[in-house]
Amino acid sequence: MDIICPLAVPKGRRLCCEVCEAPAERVCTACTVTYYCGVVHQRADWDSIHEKICQLLIPLRTTMPFYNSEEERQHGLQQLRQRQKHLIEFCYTVAQKYLFEGKHEAAVPAALHSLRFRMNLHGLSSVELVPAYLLLAEASLGLGQTVQAEEYLSQAQWTVLKSMECSYAIQSLLHRNLGLLHIAKENYEEARYHLANDIYFASCAFGTEDIRTSGGYFHLANIFYGLKKLDVADTLYTKVSEIWSKYLNNRYQVLSEARIQQIDLLGKRFETDTGLGKWQLSLGNRAVASPHLIHRPSPQEGEPLSLSRAHQCHLL
Ligand SMILES: [Zn+2]
Ligand SMILES: [Zn+2]
């Protein structure tokens, strides 16, 4: 039985849906600490993230046990914080994985969890919330919900503006997402401004020749391609492919050396592992293959850089 009985809820306590924060009518029977407005949100949350974290939520959402000493209490609090941090990272990684796979709808509940745990742990105005806002914005853009994406990005921008300690890496990601939002809105002037900022901050954080900087070049190249400035686009695509081929060559060399060492030391065959995650490989392939874009027929007169096209390149 997973329908909430109103008489069993303490007076004055308001139970909210995990996904939309509307008044709840159902409860997860496995953990009994998670509530939903209806079957649709319960199923969406279960498929996205709840199945993986259901039991982990119990110690976070039940009252702390009675401790005999201050030392034990502090230890209990510390453990609670560790659990929250673990869940923040776990939900973030799961949401990111869905985004890389193009499953934007499934990414939303996981990203929302990451955001809420961050709010609980760091407060409402912490810069730690920004990565979760950016994930939610990316998922919204993928679903074609530009207004929603704009809201998340405004929150992220406001948080960054208020914070004095925001890292270059986060500022770079923020500008990249703002750039993509403006591409989706066909406001290329503004998109170029944000992507230039993205490249600047990514260069400060990682250097001009890093794969994390290449994403900015790539999206900028797409804009110039859409505007039929093919020579500028060509230069930028070439830059992206150079960065990636250099990176992949270096990785290959390191792995070749590791393989030789492993055979020497352990006397067994090295597994065919590239050392790159699936998503890094897919990004690499995309980037190295990107110059072929320039050999396609140039865009038709008035053809906008569509949302889907912008999003295809979103992962970089
Ligand atoms: Zn709901
Ligand atoms: Zn549960």
Side-chain angles (χ1 to χ4, degrees):
M1 184 72 176
D2 52 2
I3 308 267
I4 299 171
C5 172
L7 291 174
V9 181
K11 199 177 173 192
R13 191 168 166 214
R14 189 173 165 264
L15 302 176
C16 297
C17 172
E18 189 76 1
V19 179
C20 66
E21 295 189 341
E25 288 182 8
R26 300 174 75 86
V27 60
C28 169
T29 45
C31 62
T32 66
V33 290
T34 314
Y35 307 98
Y36 300 97
C37 62
V39 189
V40 178
H41 278 172
Q42 185 168 11
R43 196 161 292 152
D45 191 35
W46 181 263
D47 292 344
S48 169
I49 186 81
H50 193 75
E51 186 185 8
K52 302 174 186 80
I53 60 168
C54 180
Q55 295 303 305
L56 301 176
L57 293 173
I58 299 172
L60 294 183
R61 292 180 174 173
T62 43
T63 44
M64 275 176 75
F66 178 76
Y67 292 111
N68 289 321
S69 68
E70 178 60 19
E71 202 178 317
E72 277 182 26
R73 205 177 73 86
Q74 287 302 331
H75 180 70
L77 276 174
Q78 210 176 350
Q79 269 194 328
L80 193 69
R81 258 188 224 117
Q82 283 303 330
R83 283 193 180 121
Q84 280 179 321
K85 277 185 190 165
H86 169 73
L87 273 175
I88 286 172
E89 283 314 312
F90 182 71
C91 295
Y92 186 81
T93 313
V94 169
Q96 216 172 23
K97 184 175 154 282
Y98 282 131
L99 287 182
F100 288 133
E101 291 171 357
K103 298 175 182 168
H104 303 106
E105 211 164 348
V108 175
L112 273 174
H113 273 80
S114 182
L115 178 66
R116 293 208 188 109
F117 291 134
R118 281 164 200 263
M119 284 172 170
N120 286 342
L121 191 65
H122 304 288
L124 290 176
S125 54
S126 167
V127 76
E128 295 288 338
L129 308 187
V130 175
Y133 282 134
L134 295 180
L135 272 190
L136 284 164
E138 200 174 327
S140 306
L141 271 178
L143 292 168
Q145 299 165 349
T146 35
V147 178
Q148 186 72 55
E150 210 165 353
E151 268 177 39
Y152 286 129
L153 286 174
S154 306
Q155 288 275 8
Q157 210 171 8
W158 178 235
T159 313
V160 168
L161 275 174
K162 279 195 298 181
S163 160
M164 301 299 286
E165 56 195 30
C166 187
S167 69
Y168 287 139
I170 287 186
Q171 297 204 48
S172 147
L173 273 180
L174 172 64
H175 282 289
R176 185 166 308 174
N177 277 280
L178 284 166
L180 289 167
L181 173 76
H182 287 291
I183 290 178
K185 290 164 75 181
E186 295 172 24
N187 185 353
Y188 301 124
E189 198 64 40
E190 197 70 12
R192 264 155 57 184
Y193 165 78
H194 285 295
L195 289 173
N197 273 308
D198 163 28
I199 294 169
Y200 169 75
F201 286 118
S203 302
C204 292
F206 314 112
T208 49
E209 303 293 313
D210 194 276
I211 51 167
R212 285 161 288 190
T213 313
S214 70
Y217 296 129
F218 187 70
H219 296 303
L220 207 51
N222 285 332
I223 294 181
F224 284 114
Y225 178 76
L227 296 172
K228 291 206 270 182
K229 294 185 177 169
L230 298 189
D231 43 344
V232 187
D234 193 19
T235 315
L236 288 164
Y237 282 134
T238 311
K239 178 85 182 160
V240 177
S241 65
E242 274 172 11
I243 291 173
W244 272 94
S245 52
K246 205 166 137 190
Y247 172 78
L248 291 172
N249 278 336
N250 285 346
R251 287 291 310 179
Y252 179 73
Q253 271 181 359
V254 170
L255 286 165
S256 305
E257 282 164 22
R259 185 179 292 144
I260 294 163
Q261 279 172 8
Q262 192 142 346
I263 291 168
D264 287 348
L265 289 172
L266 303 176
K268 65 173 190 177
R269 272 188 71 204
F270 191 79
E271 285 174 27
T272 51
D273 178 14
T274 58
L276 289 171
K278 259 187 195 169
W279 69 270
Q280 279 174 307
L281 276 172
S282 90
L283 295 190
N285 288 339
R286 222 178 278 222
V288 172
S290 64
H292 81 275
L293 283 171
I294 208 71
H295 301 307
R296 292 192 322 200
S298 60
Q300 297 300 306
E301 196 68 51
E303 180 198 336
L305 190 58
S306 68
L307 176 60
S308 62
R309 162 100 190 279
H311 201 82
Q312 278 169 14
C313 319
H314 200 170
L315 297 182
L316 260 178

